[in-house]
Amino acid sequence: MGLLNFALKLWNTPPRHSIEHRTQSKRRYDGARRGRNYGDWLSTQNSANADIWRDLTTLRGRSRDLCRNNDYARGVIGRLVDNVVYQGIGFQAQVRQNPPAEGIPPIRGDEGGLNDDRVNDLIESAWNDWASEKMWCHTAGQLTFPEIQQLAFRSVLESGEVFIRKVKQSFSNSPVPFTLEIIEADQCAEDHNQSWAGNQIVMGVEVNRWQRPVAYWFYKEHPGDLWQGRGGVISRELERIPASEIIHLYFSDRPNQLRGLPILYSTLCRMKNVGDYEESEQLAAKLATCVMGIVTTPDSDLLGEPTEGDNSSLPADERFEPGIIRYQAQGEQFNLLDPTRPNPNLVAFIEAQLRASGAGIGASYETISNDYSKSNYSSSRLSLITARDRYKVLQAWFVCNFNREILLGNPESDGWLDMAVLSGVLNFADYELRPKRYAAIKWQCRGWSWVDPNKEVQATLASLAGGMTSLTKVYAEQGEDFEESIKTIAREREILEENGIAVNFDGIAINPVSEEQKPGNTNWEH
């Protein structure tokens, strides 16, 4: 009997390799499951450029359509532009006095020395003259530099990318021969893929073996322009422009990605469905208020001939007006309809969809919906902090890839400052020997006001007293420059003191003066 039990146990024991196989199967990633639930989950091992090439024009066109016709899409793009670029990202020149020789570490930090106000004022004054004159900074003469910044960033968000060409030419007698041309993404020939002169052209971008852009291939005319060339056909002639003249702005999500996608690409379908659903609900609500009821009869033969002027015989789907009663036949029974619109679940459904869309875009629900009805101080502050962190990342990206390229250029391409010195607008004798001295720039991006000023001012004062922050950082968070603000405050105090005016802000005295010094005994208490 014992031998029989042993034989049965041996028979029912699975082979060792079978156990190992099941164990290995359990160790696989859940995300790689197939089966009937995930069999239609398609994935590829294509490169970033191969995937983008298939859908680039479709994604770009649909994103633009949403930004034209969908309130939420248009709103979130506008708010991103407002919070990142605002009225334009400016700068403050930080050239120092008496810099040390090349290769010698600075003694006092920041190149050793105080700000050279004369040089800094010259740079800022020349830049402001150029940036505020649209005939000088834009080849088409339509946009000032702050407006170019706004359009460039909006194009990146909406179309996925934009090209800025640096034209070293004087327009409208500009003293600095440096102008910007904005080239829309459609003009870069995404269907132009081939080998050329030892390089590879991928979607209109010519790269070398290191995947570094060497040149860009553009259509001489916009392929979708209204203007028709000779013979009534838009020219498809290509123009090769060296990469040193082009600033290609786009977000790169994968290594060696050469073209950009709209920021809405992952949520296009969701936002389109939200818009269609709202339109359907609006139509359903409209119809529900128009039709009050239906008069029916069990016998359609009772329907008499329509009299002159009677429009009851018109098709039911062509007559809609408030309070209408629909007659199918004369007499019998009237059924009052119970309208089911507005849909009580509409708001909750749209809110959930917009939260998901905001997660894909990198914007809060409040930003995308403009709905602050469910917010209190704590939730609003947390939401704004998260959103502003995102804005700061975008600001840093824009400054590095656009503003710095325009102002300072790069080792392979001159910027505005180089051309201003070469043209004699800025006369700096040591510029060629010490270019880094004049490249000291502090960018001034937009800041934001506090949610609850009273609470946050007290918290800021406590942080300052505890040495946990600095005045420079506090001013920067508000979008202000510390040094300029201090100079302004000093000038204000001088004016107040000259006029013998004492100002007291909640116990903080500014310019306290004696009673004898006050002309007319004037005293302001706030």
Side-chain angles (χ1 to χ4, degrees):
M1 195 67 182
L3 184 61
L4 179 61
N5 290 335
F6 176 76
L8 290 174
K9 183 177 180 181
L10 184 63
W11 177 265
N12 293 325
T13 300
R16 181 178 179 182
H17 68 84
S18 178
I19 297 175
E20 292 177 351
H21 176 73
R22 288 201 301 266
T23 303
Q24 291 175 359
S25 298
K26 291 181 180 179
R27 290 173 181 169
R28 295 180 61 181
Y29 292 100
D30 288 343
R33 286 182 179 179
R34 292 176 175 83
R36 65 177 184 274
N37 292 330
Y38 305 100
D40 60 345
W41 187 347
L42 302 179
S43 60
T44 68
Q45 300 298 320
N46 295 335
S47 69
N49 297 317
D51 283 339
I52 289 173
W53 177 72
R54 288 179 170 84
D55 301 322
L56 178 59
T57 56
T58 302
L59 290 173
R60 185 193 301 148
R62 289 182 175 180
S63 176
R64 289 172 177 169
D65 179 75
L66 273 186
C67 292
R68 285 193 299 265
N69 300 306
N70 185 286
D71 296 331
Y72 299 116
R74 180 174 177 82
V76 72
I77 295 297
R79 290 186 185 90
L80 286 172
V81 174
D82 292 343
N83 281 281
V84 174
V85 178
Y86 193 45
Q87 297 175 345
I89 296 176
F91 73 91
Q92 185 181 45
Q94 298 282 297
V95 180
R96 301 288 182 172
Q97 298 176 356
N98 303 320
E102 294 289 345
I104 300 178
I107 298 176
R108 299 179 56 187
D110 293 332
E111 292 205 54
L114 302 175
N115 279 347
D116 192 332
D117 291 337
R118 184 190 68 82
V119 172
N120 293 330
D121 290 343
L122 288 174
I123 295 175
E124 293 173 10
S125 177
W127 168 266
N128 291 332
D129 290 343
W130 178 84
S132 60
E133 179 51 69
K134 60 185 179 181
M135 304 300 290
W136 291 356
C137 63
H138 186 210
T139 54
Q142 298 176 351
L143 303 172
T144 63
F145 186 70
E147 293 169 339
I148 291 176
Q149 293 181 78
Q150 294 168 349
L151 180 58
F153 189 64
R154 179 182 294 275
S155 298
V156 172
L157 300 177
E158 182 177 313
S159 302
E161 56 189 346
V162 70
F163 300 87
I164 309 295
R165 185 178 185 181
K166 296 187 285 188
V167 181
K168 298 176 184 178
Q169 179 180 335
S170 178
F171 286 74
S172 300
N173 297 319
S174 171
V176 180
F178 189 86
T179 315
L180 304 177
E181 178 188 8
I182 304 176
I183 304 176
E184 203 164 27
D186 309 72
Q187 278 190 256
C188 189
E190 61 267 359
D191 290 329
H192 189 44
N193 301 283
Q194 67 178 56
S195 297
W196 195 86
N199 296 326
Q200 190 69 29
I201 302 175
V202 182
M203 293 185 288
V205 182
E206 181 183 337
V207 295
N208 61 18
R209 62 185 296 263
W210 301 106
Q211 297 298 302
R212 175 173 293 196
V214 176
Y216 293 87
W217 293 76
F218 294 102
Y219 293 116
K220 289 189 174 181
E221 298 176 2
H222 193 294
D225 206 344
L226 179 64
W227 168 256
Q228 300 293 322
R230 294 181 180 179
V233 179
I234 295 178
S235 172
R236 304 288 290 186
E237 184 179 357
L238 293 174
E239 178 182 10
R240 181 181 184 271
I241 300 178
S244 59
E245 298 181 17
I246 297 295
I247 299 174
H248 184 191
L249 284 178
Y250 68 100
F251 298 123
S252 183
D253 298 324
R254 293 178 60 183
N256 298 328
Q257 178 180 331
L258 295 177
R259 299 296 297 266
L261 296 173
I263 197 173
L264 301 176
Y265 73 88
S266 66
T267 189
L268 285 174
C269 294
R270 186 185 300 274
M271 298 193 77
K272 177 68 164 60
N273 291 335
V274 168
D276 292 345
Y277 177 63
E278 281 190 329
E279 185 177 357
S280 300
E281 285 291 341
Q282 290 172 359
L283 181 59
K286 180 179 179 180
L287 296 180
T289 58
C290 288
V291 181
M292 291 182 60
I294 298 177
V295 177
T296 62
T297 177
D299 188 355
S300 60
D301 293 337
L302 297 177
L303 180 62
E305 295 293 331
T307 59
E308 183 177 358
D310 183 11
N311 62 355
S312 63
S313 61
L314 290 176
D317 59 350
E318 294 185 8
R319 297 192 309 111
F320 288 103
E321 58 188 28
I324 190 173
I325 298 177
R326 184 170 296 164
Y327 289 89
Q328 291 183 338
Q330 295 179 356
E332 294 307 324
Q333 185 178 357
F334 173 77
N335 297 315
L336 180 65
L337 295 182
D338 183 17
T340 59
R341 294 297 188 275
N343 187 343
N345 299 317
L346 172 64
V347 175
F349 174 77
I350 292 181
E351 180 179 333
Q353 298 302 305
L354 293 183
R355 288 188 185 278
S357 297
I361 298 170
S364 64
Y365 165 75
E366 289 79 9
T367 299
I368 195 173
S369 67
N370 203 30
D371 177 19
Y372 297 90
S373 61
K374 299 178 179 63
S375 301
N376 53 31
Y377 170 74
S378 298
S379 62
S380 294
R381 189 172 187 275
L382 179 61
S383 175
L384 286 174
I385 289 175
T386 303
R388 288 171 181 177
D389 286 342
R390 172 66 170 164
Y391 300 149
K392 291 175 183 178
V393 171
L394 294 175
Q395 286 176 340
W397 173 86
F398 192 71
V399 164
C400 179
N401 291 279
F402 181 73
N403 287 65
R404 185 175 179 83
E405 284 285 329
I406 297 297
L407 180 62
L408 303 176
N410 58 61
E412 298 181 358
S413 176
D414 293 334
W416 175 89
L417 185 59
D418 298 314
M419 300 306 297
V421 174
L422 289 174
S423 62
V425 173
L426 296 175
N427 186 15
F428 301 144
D430 62 339
Y431 183 82
E432 188 175 355
L433 298 176
R434 300 180 183 273
K436 291 184 179 180
R437 178 197 178 199
Y438 297 93
I441 296 295
K442 182 164 68 176
W443 300 99
Q444 294 177 322
C445 299
R446 176 198 171 148
W448 298 273
S449 58
W450 288 306
V451 179
D452 188 329
N454 186 43
K455 293 181 179 179
E456 300 199 31
V457 165
Q458 297 302 321
T460 300
L461 292 175
S463 297
L464 287 169
M468 300 172 63
T469 188
S470 65
L471 285 172
T472 300
K473 183 177 180 181
V474 172
Y475 277 91
E477 289 174 349
Q478 300 296 308
E480 303 292 339
D481 179 75
F482 170 70
E483 294 182 7
E484 289 296 326
S485 299
I486 292 300
K487 291 178 181 178
T488 301
I489 293 174
R491 287 196 300 269
E492 291 176 348
R493 292 187 177 186
E494 290 177 1
I495 295 174
L496 291 171
E497 187 174 356
E498 289 175 358
N499 290 274
I501 300 174
V503 182
N504 188 291
F505 295 99
D506 195 19
I508 302 177
I510 298 179
N511 288 343
V513 295
S514 62
E515 292 292 330
E516 293 78 8
Q517 292 176 318
K518 301 176 185 177
N521 196 23
T522 303
N523 184 31
W524 294 353
E525 295 288 342
H526 293 280

